[in-house]
Amino acid sequence: MREFSKPRDLVLDPFVGGGTTLVEAAVARRRAVGCDLNSLATFVSRVKTTALDPSEVQAVRAWVPEAIASTGYRRPRDEIASALPGIEVRNLQTPRARAITKAIAAILNEVPLLPTEPARDFARCMVLRCGQWAFDGRRVAPSVSAFRARLDWMAEDMLSGMNEYLAALSTADAPQVHQTDARELEKRWGAISSSKASLIVTSPPYAGVHVLYHRWQVDGRRETSAPYWIADCADGQAGSFYTLGSRTPTGEQRYFDGMTQAYRSLRPCCEKGAYVVQLVAFSNPERQLDRYLEAMESAGFEEATAGPAVRHWRDVPNRRWYAMQMGPTPASRELVLVHRAR
């Protein structure tokens, strides 16, 4: 961030995901804009970058033990019926999963007791993070008592992080978060910012790689839309909507067409000479990397490094257990690409 921009420069992440770019930009005293077409991504990014005032932090901290206490095993189901998920939340039917689902509903039933919308969204994000720990990529769901303990720890961890973020924001503007398709950003940019971006830092969908941006995978990779229930966000799109294409030959063509459209839309939103730093991966790097570079070139960006000899690859951290069983695969390696706008 500091090598490619200066304080007060505008940093853009058009595939904002979990909002890490925006947080780092704010800490580095940069202005920041993040966009994503996924309502879950924009929810998480907005919560992570919305500063709670001290009274809101205190209210959340006082609320946590009461919320955890509400998850008692003997609490009647009808008391939390309004907070339980609808029938669209599938694959949470094992005994332990059902118990944690009921515990989550009990906690969500307590969220309206918090005094402000930012505090309530922060609480939902805590539950979302803990629910992901409990369900996503696990062979077996943990016990309810383990879920409670984890939520208590995560709550304190997130509140401590918020206090650090508040200190970092003392002389910086709060980042903006917008739910919009990167392929449409040029049309909306005038309403988003009066200046162009000096730096783009992002991690777009990976070519031909099956990554769920809108589901958790539980009990042997069965999918659930529980994150949208917890975050109170709308969902209804297929996986290829968020990855810009399926893993078929037709889907791969759609992916590269989509990435070309996205970066052509991004080019007018950034300054000439602006850097684009991105983390990418491929199911078939030998074929797809050249196509990706061609898409960037046709969109008005040229690679800023001296070619393959100085490109930086890394192993994907924290791979899921079922991915680890497959061993090293092309998609288990990520590449940092650096381009400049012509």
Side-chain angles (χ1 to χ4, degrees), residues 213-329:
Y213 297 99
H214 68 313
R215 297 284 189 270
W216 290 339
Q217 292 179 307
V218 299
D219 293 340
R221 302 179 65 183
R222 289 179 288 183
E223 297 178 12
T224 176
S225 59
Y228 290 87
W229 158 54
I230 295 170
D232 194 26
C233 295
D235 182 38
Q237 304 292 346
S240 60
F241 177 77
Y242 300 106
T243 58
L244 299 186
S246 63
R247 292 176 290 172
T248 65
T250 302
E252 182 174 302
Q253 184 60 50
R254 285 184 53 227
Y255 171 85
F256 285 108
D257 288 345
M259 291 306 301
T260 302
Q261 293 168 15
Y263 277 98
R264 282 179 179 166
S265 181
L266 289 170
R267 177 59 191 88
C269 304
C270 63
E271 299 171 350
K272 182 178 180 180
Y275 282 98
V276 180
V277 181
Q278 54 187 317
L279 190 66
V280 296
F282 308 94
S283 61
N284 188 327
E286 290 77 12
R287 184 184 73 249
Q288 295 166 337
L289 174 55
D290 286 342
R291 293 194 67 184
Y292 196 92
L293 294 173
E294 289 170 4
M296 294 293 295
E297 179 74 21
S298 68
F301 298 90
E302 58 186 4
E303 194 170 6
T305 57
V310 293
R311 291 184 187 138
H312 178 68
W313 292 85
R314 71 165 191 174
D315 292 331
V316 175
N318 303 318
R319 295 176 69 203
R320 305 293 173 82
W321 61 268
Y322 47 80
M324 293 295 291
Q325 287 182 329
M326 299 173 64
T329 64

